[in-house]
Amino acid sequence: MMSHVVSSLPPMEQANTEDCGGVPAGAFIFRSRPNHSLTHPQQRFVFWSLAVVCFATASGFALLGYWLTLPFAGLEMGLLAWALEAVRSREDDYETLTIEGDVVVLEWQAGTSGERREMNRQWTRVICDCGTSGRNCRLSLSSHGRETKVGQYLSDEARLQLAATLRRKLQA
């Protein structure tokens, strides 16, 4: 699991943020990751509990002559297993933004791909576009004609808060 993160923002409802030591003085580090509310054992428990209920119900109907419920119960459990595995495959996703000296570093992992981008602090702009007032916000950092999306795991309110913090940190 990820650790060692310093965040100048209070914990946000849709992102897990953690504090750490060992970060250079004056550095700003913001890390966010998706909120995974179920652990592996909890996912297994939920899956097998639903499987027992589903197959018991389908077996009851099969005994009454409605045997076609059994294949659909299997299909249902197969789809649930696929969905839980899709969620599990994204559990290492993260996004880290570091401002240290004149360098802004963005690192992210999404699924099987990860990237890192370094930008000059003086040339970096914060762009926050909202569809309506405070809704459907898109936050990105732009430097040298390239925009990089930031805050994908945050709520709109948290993105606006992060945008304000980044503007202050970049101007300092």
Side-chain angles (χ1 to χ4, degrees):
M1 290 295 164
M2 303 284 179
S3 61
H4 303 330
V5 179
V6 171
S7 174
S8 295
L9 301 174
M12 299 187 192
E13 62 191 52
Q14 292 183 346
N16 296 328
T17 57
E18 303 153 356
D19 289 325
C20 76
V23 175
F28 171 79
I29 298 176
F30 179 79
R31 177 172 286 170
S32 66
R33 54 188 322 163
N35 184 5
H36 296 288
S37 56
L38 289 178
T39 63
H40 292 294
Q42 289 171 332
Q43 282 182 354
R44 281 193 298 274
F45 177 77
V46 166
F47 176 79
W48 288 111
S49 297
L50 290 173
V52 166
V53 170
C54 183
F55 282 117
T57 304
S59 296
F61 279 107
L63 289 174
L64 294 173
Y66 302 106
W67 62 269
L68 200 51
T69 57
L70 286 173
F72 284 101
L75 178 64
E76 193 174 325
M77 287 299 100
L79 287 174
L80 180 60
W82 172 79
L84 290 174
E85 183 57 34
V87 168
R88 184 181 293 166
S89 72
R90 304 296 293 231
E91 102 186 330
D92 292 330
D93 290 5
Y94 70 93
E95 180 178 72
T96 303
L97 185 143
T98 307
I99 301 173
E100 185 178 0
D102 285 338
V103 179
V104 177
V105 179
L106 288 170
E107 293 179 285
W108 63 93
Q109 174 79 32
T112 57
S113 65
E115 289 191 45
R116 175 184 168 96
R117 180 165 178 223
E118 291 188 22
M119 298 175 274
N120 185 314
R121 182 180 193 155
Q122 278 71 33
W123 289 92
T124 303
R125 291 184 307 135
V126 177
I127 301 169
C128 188
D129 296 322
C130 295
T132 58
S133 64
R135 302 263 186 235
N136 301 323
C137 295
R138 182 179 179 271
L139 177 61
S140 59
L141 293 179
S142 175
S143 179
H144 294 89
R146 290 182 57 199
E147 267 188 46
T148 306
K149 192 174 176 182
V150 179
Q152 65 182 349
Y153 305 118
L154 302 176
S155 65
D156 287 333
E157 181 181 308
R159 273 191 207 103
L160 292 172
Q161 185 181 2
L162 179 60
T165 301
L166 288 175
R167 285 185 180 112
R168 279 195 318 273
K169 295 290 183 182
L170 290 172
Q171 290 175 356

